């Protein structure tokens, strides 16, 4: 049997790896010139956007081990996240997990018995409401911790974001080491996509780029062919397909699928600042910049849920963000030169970075809508927000669904 995996984003790479490890022959098709999807290196090596993982992302960390890339992901701030509040000038290190708040110095502003209870209530069943409503009586904790976490994890403004979905994220931060924040030391190319492709190639699974699936040929309720433009790739009775596509592509090919239709942008601004030094990660409150990743190869700034700023041109974005970055770098004593004038910068705009995680999400789609076709993609898991973790779990679930169907068929035969 050959399994054709369509889409070489993280979900497709994870599906392909699980399938080759399960003994299948895999062909990987990707429409773009490179693999990685929304988590990729641009032609100059810059990441399309900063990607952070947490210790709670067990599937993602296991995947990194499987592709031999775990060492490339480092914890830049083991002593707590340095956070500068640009409005009131306070600079502190904040523990992301409540387990670290026993130390008053690492507690975010606004932690009181009442606000802790509001956090705990997120974990309890009940009708869903927006994060802003859930913390209406705790504006300090909302501003200092809950809003930055919501925007980072759900990429949705707090007035719209689902408190239930945030509760699912926070529950996962409770375990030991779960709130450790990790970033790629060099970048998404060398620390994720390239090792994944190399591992797949070792198992005989090669990637065909520039290969866009235009349509599915179906007969008798099964996929019998893939329209790849130049030719139709026949799908034999023992073959199968994984669609590891973003929702708008999945629904184009299978129009009855329930898919999220509203997406939120992320703006990333990359400053060319070449300077040796450790990898650092800072948080900012009260400005445009939210997270700042400092690496020897440059400084990358993230603005999530960027509805209001994604339209800024490169120089406007750099002019607004650089003074904020510089102030934070100086306050936390980051080494090197931080000139008043912005270094050359460019903005990368991912307009459909993730689905919006609001109230009343569409139901999760079936994992195997056709007997020989399984779905993967960060949007296909109901429990998790659209992240690397969700993408990897979805890819592994799609592979498992096809492998167990194949095993059942073998027993029946
Ligand atoms: C700027 C940014 C920052 C982010 N930050 C984080 C973060 O810090 N932590 C985190 O965990 N997550 C983060 N995410 C989310 C994460 O990147 C995504 O959840 C994940 O990459 C989705 O992977 P996927 O494989 O499901 O989808 P995609 O990456 O969209 O992969 C789908 C692939 O299918 C290809 N394709 C599309 N149509 C076709 C077709 N017809 N035929 C063949 N191929 C096709 C696409 O080119 C793409 O390569 C961020 C996303 C963005 C954009």
């Amino acid at each position: 049997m050959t399994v054709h995996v369509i889409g070489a984003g993280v979900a497709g790479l994870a599906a392909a790896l699980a399938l080759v490890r399960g003994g299948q022959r895999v062909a990987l098709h990707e429409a773009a010139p490179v693999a990685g999807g929304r988590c990729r290196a641009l032609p100059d090596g810059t990441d399309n956007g900063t990607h952070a993982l947490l210790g709670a992302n067990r599937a993602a960390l296991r995947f990194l081990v499987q592709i031999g890339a775990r060492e490339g992901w480092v914890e830049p701030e083991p002593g707590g996240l340095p956070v500068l509040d640009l409005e009131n000038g306070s600079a502190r290190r904040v523990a992301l997990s409540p387990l670290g708040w026993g130390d008053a110095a690492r507690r975010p502003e606004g932690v009181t018995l009442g606000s802790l209870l509001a956090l705990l209530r997120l974990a309890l069943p009940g009708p869903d409401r927006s994060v802003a409503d859930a913390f209406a009586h705790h504006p300090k904790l909302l501003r200092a911790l809950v809003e930055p976490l919501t925007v980072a994890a759900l990429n949705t403004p707090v007035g719209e974001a689902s408190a239930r979905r945030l509760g699912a994220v926070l529950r996962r931060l409770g375990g030991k080491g779960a709130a450790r924040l990790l970033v790629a030391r060099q970048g998404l190319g060398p620390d994720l996509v390239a090792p994944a492709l190399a591992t797949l190639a070792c198992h005989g699974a090669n990637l065909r780029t520039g290969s866009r699936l235009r349509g599915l040929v179906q007969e008798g309720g099964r996929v019998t062919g893939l329209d790849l433009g130049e030719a139709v790739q026949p799908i034999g009775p023992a073959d199968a397909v994984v669609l590891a596509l973003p929702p708008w592509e999945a629904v184009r090919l299978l129009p009855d699928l329930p898919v999220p239709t509203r997406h939120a942008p992320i703006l990333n601004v990359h400053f060319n600042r070449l300077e040796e030094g450790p990898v650092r990660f800072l948080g900012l409150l009260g400005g445009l910049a939210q997270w700042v990743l400092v690496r020897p190869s440059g400084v990358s700034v993230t603005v999530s849920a960027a509805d209001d700023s994604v339209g800024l041109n490169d120089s406007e974005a750099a002019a607004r963000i650089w003074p904020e970055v510089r102030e934070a770098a100086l306050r936390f004593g980051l080494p090197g030169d931080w000139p008043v004038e912005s270094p050359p910068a460019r903005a990368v705009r991912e307009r459909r970075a993730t689905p919006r995680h609001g109230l009343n999400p569409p139901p999760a789609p079936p994992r195997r809508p056709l007997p020989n076709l399984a779905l993967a993609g960060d949007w296909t898991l109901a429990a998790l927000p659209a992240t690397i973790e969700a993408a990897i779990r979805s890819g592994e679930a799609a592979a498992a669904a096809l492998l167990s169907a194949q095993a059942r068929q073998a027993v029946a035969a």
Side-chain angles (χ1 to χ4, degrees):
M1 134 160 161
T2 298
V3 184
H4 294 266
V5 176
I6 315 295
V10 179
L13 295 172
L17 186 63
L19 287 161
V20 293
R21 284 165 65 97
Q24 306 301 311
R25 202 167 37 224
V26 169
L28 194 50
H29 306 264
E30 166 57 50
V34 293
R38 281 169 282 151
C39 182
R40 69 188 181 286
L42 302 174
D44 67 358
T46 320
D47 297 344
N48 67 321
T50 298
H51 280 69
L53 289 175
L54 293 172
N57 297 155
R58 306 249 182 265
L61 297 179
R62 195 176 54 234
F63 179 76
L64 290 177
V65 171
Q66 287 168 353
I67 61 171
R70 178 63 187 83
E71 294 294 298
W73 288 71
V74 294
E75 185 180 11
E77 306 297 342
L81 201 59
V83 177
L84 173 67
D85 189 328
L86 292 159
E87 273 172 19
N88 64 21
S90 89
R92 57 170 81 197
R93 281 187 174 266
V94 174
L96 282 182
S97 160
L99 299 179
W101 297 348
D103 174 359
R106 299 206 304 150
R107 215 177 278 159
E109 244 191 288
V111 174
T112 59
L113 189 58
S115 63
L116 279 176
L117 285 174
L119 268 182
L120 280 176
R121 265 198 298 275
L122 288 186
L124 302 176
D128 201 5
R129 56 197 169 144
S130 75
V131 172
D133 281 348
F135 285 86
H137 300 298
H138 308 287
K140 279 193 176 162
L141 190 69
L142 178 64
R143 180 172 179 280
L145 180 84
V146 177
E147 180 164 19
L149 273 185
T150 305
V151 167
L154 305 186
N155 192 27
T156 307
V158 285
E160 176 188 338
S162 151
R164 187 181 293 154
R165 193 67 81 111
L166 182 65
V169 173
L170 294 178
R171 271 197 301 277
R172 288 167 189 266
L173 292 184
K176 191 165 181 288
R180 291 177 66 205
L181 183 136
L182 305 165
V183 291
R185 188 199 308 271
Q186 296 180 73
L188 298 172
D191 294 326
L192 178 63
V193 179
L197 291 176
T199 307
L200 287 170
C202 282
H203 285 90
N206 285 306
L207 167 69
R208 206 173 143 215
T209 54
S211 175
R212 178 167 187 266
L213 178 63
R214 285 151 203 250
L216 293 169
V217 184
Q218 294 184 48
E219 267 174 53
R222 300 173 65 83
V223 181
T224 55
L226 300 176
D227 176 0
L228 291 163
E230 302 141 16
V232 171
Q233 164 75 52
I235 299 296
D239 296 343
V241 177
V242 174
L243 290 188
L245 298 174
W248 55 91
E249 274 295 283
V251 74
R252 182 180 66 75
L253 295 160
L254 293 171
D256 293 335
L257 282 183
V259 295
T261 52
R262 300 181 63 239
H263 295 83
I266 297 181
L267 170 71
N268 266 266
V269 181
H270 303 283
F271 295 92
N272 283 349
R273 175 184 174 276
L274 305 179
E275 188 118 33
E276 281 310 311
V279 178
R280 297 297 306 268
F281 195 82
L282 313 179
L284 287 167
L285 296 175
L288 177 57
Q290 294 161 354
W291 307 106
V292 182
L293 172 64
V294 181
R295 290 190 289 214
S297 56
V299 176
S300 298
V301 176
T302 304
V303 185
S304 295
D307 300 299
D308 297 335
S309 51
V310 74
L312 293 174
N313 67 35
D314 286 24
S315 52
E316 286 165 345
R320 280 185 59 186
I321 286 176
W322 181 254
E324 300 176 354
V325 171
R326 179 173 180 271
E327 191 174 336
L330 296 177
R331 280 300 291 278
F332 288 107
L334 265 53
D337 195 23
W338 296 92
V340 173
E341 198 168 318
S342 161
R346 72 167 164 135
V348 181
R349 298 162 192 84
E350 290 279 6
R351 291 183 192 274
R352 292 190 284 192
T354 67
R356 300 177 92 90
H357 295 299
L359 309 187
N360 306 317
R367 182 62 64 204
R368 205 157 57 96
L370 298 172
N372 64 343
L373 180 144
L375 288 179
D378 61 354
W379 56 279
T380 62
L381 288 186
L384 290 178
T387 52
I388 294 177
E389 176 75 3
I392 287 177
R393 281 179 189 253
S394 75
E396 292 176 351
L402 291 177
L403 291 170
S404 62
Q406 188 198 41
R408 279 197 302 275
Q409 270 166 17
V411 170

